[in-house]
């Protein structure tokens, strides 16, 4: 996911890789705290990728107005995910 986030942030060198990875990890932890199952926070899910990208853009944005827009967008994505049973409920099949 690091490369996807670097592309979204328009960063092409490796000097900020650790900081970017820390931010990705923080985004995933924040989603988990919001009630999203850890096993649903995968790097192949388009909604999870979008949430992490938006969180990172918010964290790395230097324009306050733009950062507020990304923060609001992330909050909306996180809310939608946390209200979805697909992301918050473990399905148990009894045989």
């Amino acid at each position: 996911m690091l490369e996807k986030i670097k592309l979204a942030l328009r960063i092409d060198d490796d000097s900020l890789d650790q900081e970017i990875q820390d931010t990705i990890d923080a985004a995933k932890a924040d989603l988990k705290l919001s009630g999203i199952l850890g096993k649903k926070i995968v790097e192949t899910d388009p909604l999870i990728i979008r949430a992490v990208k938006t969180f990172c853009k918010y964290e790395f944005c230097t324009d306050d107005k733009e950062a507020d827009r990304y923060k609001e967008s992330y909050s909306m994505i996180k809310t939608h995910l946390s209200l979805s049973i697909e992301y918050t409920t473990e399905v148990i099949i009894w045989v």
Side-chain angles (χ1 to χ4, degrees), residues 68-86:
D68 287 342
R69 197 171 66 87
Y70 285 126
K71 183 178 181 180
E72 180 65 27
S73 182
Y74 171 72
S75 180
M76 288 174 34
I77 296 167
K78 180 173 73 169
T79 299
H80 288 300
L81 290 170
S82 68
L83 292 174
S84 169
I85 12 178
E86 183 179 337

Side-chain angles (χ1 to χ4, degrees), residues 35-74:
I36 298 163
L37 296 172
K39 71 180 196 174
K40 295 290 186 172
I41 303 172
V42 294
E43 298 185 1
T44 55
D45 185 296
L47 292 175
I48 298 299
I49 293 168
R50 174 59 56 198
V52 173
K53 279 183 183 179
T54 307
F55 183 94
C56 291
K57 284 183 176 186
Y58 155 62
E59 289 289 324
F60 280 87
C61 190
T62 57
D63 179 293
D64 289 342
K65 192 172 188 177
E66 193 76 4
D68 287 342
R69 197 171 66 87
Y70 285 126
K71 183 178 181 180
E72 180 65 27
S73 182
Y74 171 72

